[in-house]
PDB file of all heavy atoms in Angstrom:
ATOM      1  N   TYR A 276     142.882  78.901 -28.851  1.00  0.00           N
ATOM      2  CA  TYR A 276     143.608  79.680 -29.834  1.00  0.00           C
ATOM      3  C   TYR A 276     143.494  81.201 -29.499  1.00  0.00           C
ATOM      4  O   TYR A 276     142.463  81.708 -29.041  1.00  0.00           O
ATOM      5  CB  TYR A 276     143.007  79.462 -31.243  1.00  0.00           C
ATOM      6  CG  TYR A 276     143.983  79.894 -32.317  1.00  0.00           C
ATOM      7  CD1 TYR A 276     145.175  79.088 -32.593  1.00  0.00           C
ATOM      8  CD2 TYR A 276     143.909  81.116 -32.946  1.00  0.00           C
ATOM      9  CE1 TYR A 276     146.053  79.526 -33.526  1.00  0.00           C
ATOM     10  CE2 TYR A 276     144.901  81.505 -33.870  1.00  0.00           C
ATOM     11  CZ  TYR A 276     145.951  80.722 -34.169  1.00  0.00           C
ATOM     12  OH  TYR A 276     146.890  81.112 -35.061  1.00  0.00           O
ATOM     13  N   GLN A 289     161.807  88.464 -20.789  1.00  0.00           N
ATOM     14  CA  GLN A 289     162.168  87.153 -20.355  1.00  0.00           C
ATOM     15  C   GLN A 289     161.494  86.062 -21.264  1.00  0.00           C
ATOM     16  O   GLN A 289     161.964  84.968 -21.397  1.00  0.00           O
ATOM     17  CB  GLN A 289     161.775  86.914 -18.914  1.00  0.00           C
ATOM     18  CG  GLN A 289     162.520  87.822 -17.914  1.00  0.00           C
ATOM     19  CD  GLN A 289     161.881  89.195 -17.701  1.00  0.00           C
ATOM     20  OE1 GLN A 289     160.960  89.585 -18.434  1.00  0.00           O
ATOM     21  NE2 GLN A 289     162.393  89.979 -16.725  1.00  0.00           N
ATOM     22  N   ASP A 305     152.135  87.857 -37.374  1.00  0.00           N
ATOM     23  CA  ASP A 305     151.049  88.626 -37.977  1.00  0.00           C
ATOM     24  C   ASP A 305     149.837  88.688 -37.010  1.00  0.00           C
ATOM     25  O   ASP A 305     148.820  89.326 -37.374  1.00  0.00           O
ATOM     26  CB  ASP A 305     150.622  88.038 -39.299  1.00  0.00           C
ATOM     27  CG  ASP A 305     150.169  86.561 -39.226  1.00  0.00           C
ATOM     28  OD1 ASP A 305     150.563  85.877 -38.299  1.00  0.00           O
ATOM     29  OD2 ASP A 305     149.364  86.150 -40.091  1.00  0.00           O
ATOM     30  N   THR A 307     150.533  89.465 -33.738  1.00  0.00           N
ATOM     31  CA  THR A 307     151.249  90.002 -32.613  1.00  0.00           C
ATOM     32  C   THR A 307     151.617  91.460 -32.852  1.00  0.00           C
ATOM     33  O   THR A 307     151.962  91.804 -34.001  1.00  0.00           O
ATOM     34  CB  THR A 307     152.621  89.202 -32.418  1.00  0.00           C
ATOM     35  OG1 THR A 307     152.301  87.822 -32.409  1.00  0.00           O
ATOM     36  CG2 THR A 307     153.271  89.556 -31.087  1.00  0.00           C
ATOM     37  N   GLN A 332     165.183  98.380 -20.985  1.00  0.00           N
ATOM     38  CA  GLN A 332     164.032  97.602 -21.243  1.00  0.00           C
ATOM     39  C   GLN A 332     163.416  97.935 -22.618  1.00  0.00           C
ATOM     40  O   GLN A 332     163.009  97.027 -23.346  1.00  0.00           O
ATOM     41  CB  GLN A 332     162.978  97.811 -20.106  1.00  0.00           C
ATOM     42  CG  GLN A 332     162.085  96.628 -19.947  1.00  0.00           C
ATOM     43  CD  GLN A 332     161.390  96.630 -18.658  1.00  0.00           C
ATOM     44  OE1 GLN A 332     160.772  97.575 -18.232  1.00  0.00           O
ATOM     45  NE2 GLN A 332     161.504  95.503 -17.992  1.00  0.00           N
ATOM     46  N   ARG A 346     155.787  93.493 -35.188  1.00  0.00           N
ATOM     47  CA  ARG A 346     155.434  94.899 -35.398  1.00  0.00           C
ATOM     48  C   ARG A 346     155.555  95.655 -34.086  1.00  0.00           C
ATOM     49  O   ARG A 346     154.946  95.264 -33.074  1.00  0.00           O
ATOM     50  CB  ARG A 346     154.082  94.971 -35.978  1.00  0.00           C
ATOM     51  CG  ARG A 346     153.475  96.354 -36.107  1.00  0.00           C
ATOM     52  CD  ARG A 346     152.110  96.311 -36.687  1.00  0.00           C
ATOM     53  NE  ARG A 346     151.485  97.595 -36.775  1.00  0.00           N
ATOM     54  CZ  ARG A 346     150.258  97.788 -37.233  1.00  0.00           C
ATOM     55  NH1 ARG A 346     149.486  96.792 -37.633  1.00  0.00           N
ATOM     56  NH2 ARG A 346     149.715  99.057 -37.229  1.00  0.00           N
ATOM     57  N   THR A 396     154.358  86.176 -17.752  1.00  0.00           N
ATOM     58  CA  THR A 396     155.426  86.182 -18.688  1.00  0.00           C
ATOM     59  C   THR A 396     155.625  84.734 -19.316  1.00  0.00           C
ATOM     60  O   THR A 396     155.880  84.566 -20.508  1.00  0.00           O
ATOM     61  CB  THR A 396     156.767  86.672 -18.126  1.00  0.00           C
ATOM     62  OG1 THR A 396     156.533  88.060 -17.825  1.00  0.00           O
ATOM     63  CG2 THR A 396     157.890  86.567 -19.088  1.00  0.00           C
ATOM     64  N   SER A 397     155.421  83.689 -18.503  1.00  0.00           N
ATOM     65  CA  SER A 397     155.542  82.327 -19.012  1.00  0.00           C
ATOM     66  C   SER A 397     154.502  82.051 -20.071  1.00  0.00           C
ATOM     67  O   SER A 397     154.780  81.422 -21.070  1.00  0.00           O
ATOM     68  CB  SER A 397     155.413  81.271 -17.897  1.00  0.00           C
ATOM     69  OG  SER A 397     156.440  81.354 -16.989  1.00  0.00           O
ATOM     70  N   HIS A 401     154.502  81.286 -24.088  1.00  0.00           N
ATOM     71  CA  HIS A 401     153.729  80.223 -24.617  1.00  0.00           C
ATOM     72  C   HIS A 401     152.962  80.675 -25.846  1.00  0.00           C
ATOM     73  O   HIS A 401     152.908  79.993 -26.837  1.00  0.00           O
ATOM     74  CB  HIS A 401     152.810  79.743 -23.530  1.00  0.00           C
ATOM     75  CG  HIS A 401     152.153  78.407 -23.822  1.00  0.00           C
ATOM     76  ND1 HIS A 401     152.429  77.275 -23.022  1.00  0.00           N
ATOM     77  CD2 HIS A 401     151.346  77.978 -24.783  1.00  0.00           C
ATOM     78  CE1 HIS A 401     151.770  76.264 -23.542  1.00  0.00           C
ATOM     79  NE2 HIS A 401     151.067  76.653 -24.645  1.00  0.00           N
ATOM     80  N   THR A 443     137.263  92.713  -3.925  1.00  0.00           N
ATOM     81  CA  THR A 443     138.441  92.565  -4.826  1.00  0.00           C
ATOM     82  C   THR A 443     138.544  91.092  -5.187  1.00  0.00           C
ATOM     83  O   THR A 443     139.288  90.735  -6.164  1.00  0.00           O
ATOM     84  CB  THR A 443     139.686  93.041  -4.177  1.00  0.00           C
ATOM     85  OG1 THR A 443     139.849  92.382  -2.911  1.00  0.00           O
ATOM     86  CG2 THR A 443     139.711  94.550  -3.999  1.00  0.00           C
ATOM     87  N   GLY A 448     137.990  83.709 -10.712  1.00  0.00           N
ATOM     88  CA  GLY A 448     137.566  82.474 -11.403  1.00  0.00           C
ATOM     89  C   GLY A 448     136.413  82.732 -12.417  1.00  0.00           C
ATOM     90  O   GLY A 448     136.029  81.847 -13.106  1.00  0.00           O
ATOM     91  N   ASP A 504     134.330  90.644 -45.989  1.00  0.00           N
ATOM     92  CA  ASP A 504     134.799  90.240 -44.690  1.00  0.00           C
ATOM     93  C   ASP A 504     133.952  90.991 -43.602  1.00  0.00           C
ATOM     94  O   ASP A 504     133.638  90.429 -42.555  1.00  0.00           O
ATOM     95  CB  ASP A 504     136.237  90.641 -44.502  1.00  0.00           C
ATOM     96  CG  ASP A 504     137.149  89.539 -45.089  1.00  0.00           C
ATOM     97  OD1 ASP A 504     136.654  88.460 -45.448  1.00  0.00           O
ATOM     98  OD2 ASP A 504     138.357  89.832 -45.181  1.00  0.00           O
ATOM     99  N   ASN A 564     139.315  90.180   9.308  1.00  0.00           N
ATOM    100  CA  ASN A 564     140.339  90.419   8.257  1.00  0.00           C
ATOM    101  C   ASN A 564     140.124  91.808   7.579  1.00  0.00           C
ATOM    102  O   ASN A 564     141.017  92.572   7.367  1.00  0.00           O
ATOM    103  CB  ASN A 564     140.294  89.345   7.201  1.00  0.00           C
ATOM    104  CG  ASN A 564     141.467  88.364   7.354  1.00  0.00           C
ATOM    105  OD1 ASN A 564     142.586  88.788   7.588  1.00  0.00           O
ATOM    106  ND2 ASN A 564     141.111  87.124   7.271  1.00  0.00           N
ATOM    107  N   MET A 663     156.434 103.922 -13.323  1.00  0.00           N
ATOM    108  CA  MET A 663     157.696 103.239 -13.807  1.00  0.00           C
ATOM    109  C   MET A 663     158.567 104.265 -14.525  1.00  0.00           C
ATOM    110  O   MET A 663     159.775 104.036 -14.703  1.00  0.00           O
ATOM    111  CB  MET A 663     157.436 102.094 -14.731  1.00  0.00           C
ATOM    112  CG  MET A 663     156.914 100.856 -14.032  1.00  0.00           C
ATOM    113  SD  MET A 663     156.899  99.399 -15.099  1.00  0.00           S
ATOM    114  CE  MET A 663     158.614  99.026 -15.135  1.00  0.00           C
TER     115      MET A 663
ATOM    116  N   ASN B 997     144.485  90.641   1.049  1.00  0.00           N
ATOM    117  CA  ASN B 997     144.646  91.486  -0.143  1.00  0.00           C
ATOM    118  C   ASN B 997     146.095  91.927  -0.335  1.00  0.00           C
ATOM    119  O   ASN B 997     146.296  93.073  -0.591  1.00  0.00           O
ATOM    120  CB  ASN B 997     143.768  92.693   0.021  1.00  0.00           C
ATOM    121  CG  ASN B 997     142.435  92.533  -0.707  1.00  0.00           C
ATOM    122  OD1 ASN B 997     142.403  92.464  -1.935  1.00  0.00           O
ATOM    123  ND2 ASN B 997     141.362  92.454   0.047  1.00  0.00           N
ATOM    124  N   LEU B1009     160.502  96.055 -11.916  1.00  0.00           N
ATOM    125  CA  LEU B1009     160.096  95.361 -13.117  1.00  0.00           C
ATOM    126  C   LEU B1009     160.865  95.796 -14.367  1.00  0.00           C
ATOM    127  O   LEU B1009     160.584  95.365 -15.465  1.00  0.00           O
ATOM    128  CB  LEU B1009     158.587  95.563 -13.433  1.00  0.00           C
ATOM    129  CG  LEU B1009     157.595  95.388 -12.293  1.00  0.00           C
ATOM    130  CD1 LEU B1009     156.168  95.396 -12.831  1.00  0.00           C
ATOM    131  CD2 LEU B1009     157.819  94.123 -11.527  1.00  0.00           C
ATOM    132  N   LYS B1010     161.832  96.666 -14.201  1.00  0.00           N
ATOM    133  CA  LYS B1010     162.525  97.188 -15.316  1.00  0.00           C
ATOM    134  C   LYS B1010     163.672  96.231 -15.737  1.00  0.00           C
ATOM    135  O   LYS B1010     164.261  96.441 -16.776  1.00  0.00           O
ATOM    136  CB  LYS B1010     163.205  98.489 -14.973  1.00  0.00           C
ATOM    137  CG  LYS B1010     162.148  99.645 -14.715  1.00  0.00           C
ATOM    138  CD  LYS B1010     162.800 100.935 -14.417  1.00  0.00           C
ATOM    139  CE  LYS B1010     161.801 102.013 -14.082  1.00  0.00           C
ATOM    140  NZ  LYS B1010     162.431 103.327 -13.837  1.00  0.00           N
ATOM    141  N   THR B1013     166.036  90.361 -16.881  1.00  0.00           N
ATOM    142  CA  THR B1013     166.420  89.019 -16.524  1.00  0.00           C
ATOM    143  C   THR B1013     165.294  88.380 -15.739  1.00  0.00           C
ATOM    144  O   THR B1013     164.341  89.011 -15.297  1.00  0.00           O
ATOM    145  CB  THR B1013     167.717  88.954 -15.677  1.00  0.00           C
ATOM    146  OG1 THR B1013     167.469  89.824 -14.499  1.00  0.00           O
ATOM    147  CG2 THR B1013     168.891  89.541 -16.460  1.00  0.00           C
ATOM    148  N   TRP B1025     157.523  97.005   2.516  1.00  0.00           N
ATOM    149  CA  TRP B1025     157.245  96.517   3.885  1.00  0.00           C
ATOM    150  C   TRP B1025     158.505  96.141   4.606  1.00  0.00           C
ATOM    151  O   TRP B1025     158.576  96.288   5.823  1.00  0.00           O
ATOM    152  CB  TRP B1025     156.235  95.319   3.833  1.00  0.00           C
ATOM    153  CG  TRP B1025     154.884  95.763   3.384  1.00  0.00           C
ATOM    154  CD1 TRP B1025     154.385  96.985   3.300  1.00  0.00           C
ATOM    155  CD2 TRP B1025     153.791  94.884   3.001  1.00  0.00           C
ATOM    156  NE1 TRP B1025     153.095  97.002   2.896  1.00  0.00           N
ATOM    157  CE2 TRP B1025     152.689  95.718   2.682  1.00  0.00           C
ATOM    158  CE3 TRP B1025     153.680  93.502   2.878  1.00  0.00           C
ATOM    159  CZ2 TRP B1025     151.485  95.195   2.281  1.00  0.00           C
ATOM    160  CZ3 TRP B1025     152.410  93.009   2.478  1.00  0.00           C
ATOM    161  CH2 TRP B1025     151.335  93.835   2.176  1.00  0.00           C
ATOM    162  N   GLU B1057     154.673  88.463 -13.448  1.00  0.00           N
ATOM    163  CA  GLU B1057     155.167  87.182 -12.922  1.00  0.00           C
ATOM    164  C   GLU B1057     156.384  87.342 -12.037  1.00  0.00           C
ATOM    165  O   GLU B1057     156.807  86.488 -11.271  1.00  0.00           O
ATOM    166  CB  GLU B1057     155.602  86.293 -14.208  1.00  0.00           C
ATOM    167  CG  GLU B1057     155.799  84.832 -13.894  1.00  0.00           C
ATOM    168  CD  GLU B1057     155.742  84.007 -15.152  1.00  0.00           C
ATOM    169  OE1 GLU B1057     154.779  84.044 -15.905  1.00  0.00           O
ATOM    170  OE2 GLU B1057     156.700  83.254 -15.392  1.00  0.00           O
ATOM    171  N   ASP B1078     143.853  85.095  -9.564  1.00  0.00           N
ATOM    172  CA  ASP B1078     143.858  84.098 -10.588  1.00  0.00           C
ATOM    173  C   ASP B1078     145.129  84.060 -11.425  1.00  0.00           C
ATOM    174  O   ASP B1078     145.710  82.984 -11.731  1.00  0.00           O
ATOM    175  CB  ASP B1078     142.672  84.300 -11.587  1.00  0.00           C
ATOM    176  CG  ASP B1078     141.336  83.808 -11.069  1.00  0.00           C
ATOM    177  OD1 ASP B1078     141.362  83.028 -10.117  1.00  0.00           O
ATOM    178  OD2 ASP B1078     140.348  84.255 -11.573  1.00  0.00           O
ATOM    179  N   GLN B1087     156.070  78.237 -12.709  1.00  0.00           N
ATOM    180  CA  GLN B1087     157.376  78.406 -12.171  1.00  0.00           C
ATOM    181  C   GLN B1087     157.713  77.448 -11.040  1.00  0.00           C
ATOM    182  O   GLN B1087     158.714  77.733 -10.322  1.00  0.00           O
ATOM    183  CB  GLN B1087     157.569  79.842 -11.692  1.00  0.00           C
ATOM    184  CG  GLN B1087     157.538  80.884 -12.866  1.00  0.00           C
ATOM    185  CD  GLN B1087     158.687  80.702 -13.813  1.00  0.00           C
ATOM    186  OE1 GLN B1087     159.816  80.360 -13.389  1.00  0.00           O
ATOM    187  NE2 GLN B1087     158.471  80.898 -15.068  1.00  0.00           N
ATOM    188  N   GLU B1096     140.061  79.245   5.310  1.00  0.00           N
ATOM    189  CA  GLU B1096     140.577  80.324   6.138  1.00  0.00           C
ATOM    190  C   GLU B1096     140.795  79.852   7.575  1.00  0.00           C
ATOM    191  O   GLU B1096     141.796  80.269   8.246  1.00  0.00           O
ATOM    192  CB  GLU B1096     139.521  81.521   6.123  1.00  0.00           C
ATOM    193  CG  GLU B1096     140.199  82.874   6.315  1.00  0.00           C
ATOM    194  CD  GLU B1096     139.277  83.985   5.918  1.00  0.00           C
ATOM    195  OE1 GLU B1096     138.451  83.822   4.967  1.00  0.00           O
ATOM    196  OE2 GLU B1096     139.317  85.056   6.639  1.00  0.00           O
ATOM    197  N   THR B1152     152.218  71.557 -25.228  1.00  0.00           N
ATOM    198  CA  THR B1152     151.345  72.131 -26.236  1.00  0.00           C
ATOM    199  C   THR B1152     151.769  71.740 -27.685  1.00  0.00           C
ATOM    200  O   THR B1152     150.978  71.486 -28.521  1.00  0.00           O
ATOM    201  CB  THR B1152     151.212  73.680 -26.095  1.00  0.00           C
ATOM    202  OG1 THR B1152     150.600  73.935 -24.839  1.00  0.00           O
ATOM    203  CG2 THR B1152     150.432  74.308 -27.243  1.00  0.00           C
ATOM    204  N   GLU B1163     144.175  76.766 -37.586  1.00  0.00           N
ATOM    205  CA  GLU B1163     144.577  78.002 -38.286  1.00  0.00           C
ATOM    206  C   GLU B1163     144.034  77.984 -39.732  1.00  0.00           C
ATOM    207  O   GLU B1163     143.714  79.017 -40.251  1.00  0.00           O
ATOM    208  CB  GLU B1163     146.091  78.169 -38.262  1.00  0.00           C
ATOM    209  CG  GLU B1163     146.578  78.586 -36.851  1.00  0.00           C
ATOM    210  CD  GLU B1163     148.083  78.675 -36.761  1.00  0.00           C
ATOM    211  OE1 GLU B1163     148.772  77.872 -37.428  1.00  0.00           O
ATOM    212  OE2 GLU B1163     148.572  79.569 -35.984  1.00  0.00           O
ATOM    213  N   SER B1168     138.683  84.944 -42.491  1.00  0.00           N
ATOM    214  CA  SER B1168     139.564  86.011 -43.030  1.00  0.00           C
ATOM    215  C   SER B1168     139.259  87.358 -42.360  1.00  0.00           C
ATOM    216  O   SER B1168     140.064  88.278 -42.486  1.00  0.00           O
ATOM    217  CB  SER B1168     139.482  86.097 -44.572  1.00  0.00           C
ATOM    218  OG  SER B1168     138.172  86.330 -44.901  1.00  0.00           O
ATOM    219  N   ARG B1170     139.069  87.871 -39.263  1.00  0.00           N
ATOM    220  CA  ARG B1170     139.718  87.982 -37.938  1.00  0.00           C
ATOM    221  C   ARG B1170     141.042  88.793 -38.035  1.00  0.00           C
ATOM    222  O   ARG B1170     141.621  88.920 -39.032  1.00  0.00           O
ATOM    223  CB  ARG B1170     140.014  86.605 -37.392  1.00  0.00           C
ATOM    224  CG  ARG B1170     138.765  85.848 -36.974  1.00  0.00           C
ATOM    225  CD  ARG B1170     138.929  84.601 -36.242  1.00  0.00           C
ATOM    226  NE  ARG B1170     137.636  83.992 -35.814  1.00  0.00           N
ATOM    227  CZ  ARG B1170     136.984  84.245 -34.688  1.00  0.00           C
ATOM    228  NH1 ARG B1170     137.585  85.040 -33.817  1.00  0.00           N
ATOM    229  NH2 ARG B1170     135.851  83.766 -34.414  1.00  0.00           N
ATOM    230  N   THR B1173     147.833  91.725 -37.624  1.00  0.00           N
ATOM    231  CA  THR B1173     148.593  92.966 -37.372  1.00  0.00           C
ATOM    232  C   THR B1173     149.510  93.325 -38.566  1.00  0.00           C
ATOM    233  O   THR B1173     150.006  94.415 -38.664  1.00  0.00           O
ATOM    234  CB  THR B1173     149.508  92.804 -36.106  1.00  0.00           C
ATOM    235  OG1 THR B1173     150.366  91.710 -36.320  1.00  0.00           O
ATOM    236  CG2 THR B1173     148.636  92.553 -34.852  1.00  0.00           C
TER     237      THR B1173
END
Side-chain angles (χ1 to χ4, degrees):
Chain A
Y276 199 77
Q289 297 86 352
D305 61 334
T307 311
Q332 204 160 54
R346 173 178 174 182
T396 296
S397 293
H401 196 113
T443 55
D504 278 348
N564 255 317
M663 283 192 76
Chain B
N997 263 293
L1009 312 189
K1010 295 182 185 184
T1013 54
W1025 290 348
E1057 196 162 305
D1078 282 342
Q1087 293 295 324
E1096 209 166 324
T1152 294
E1163 286 176 326
S1168 59
R1170 289 190 178 270
T1173 60

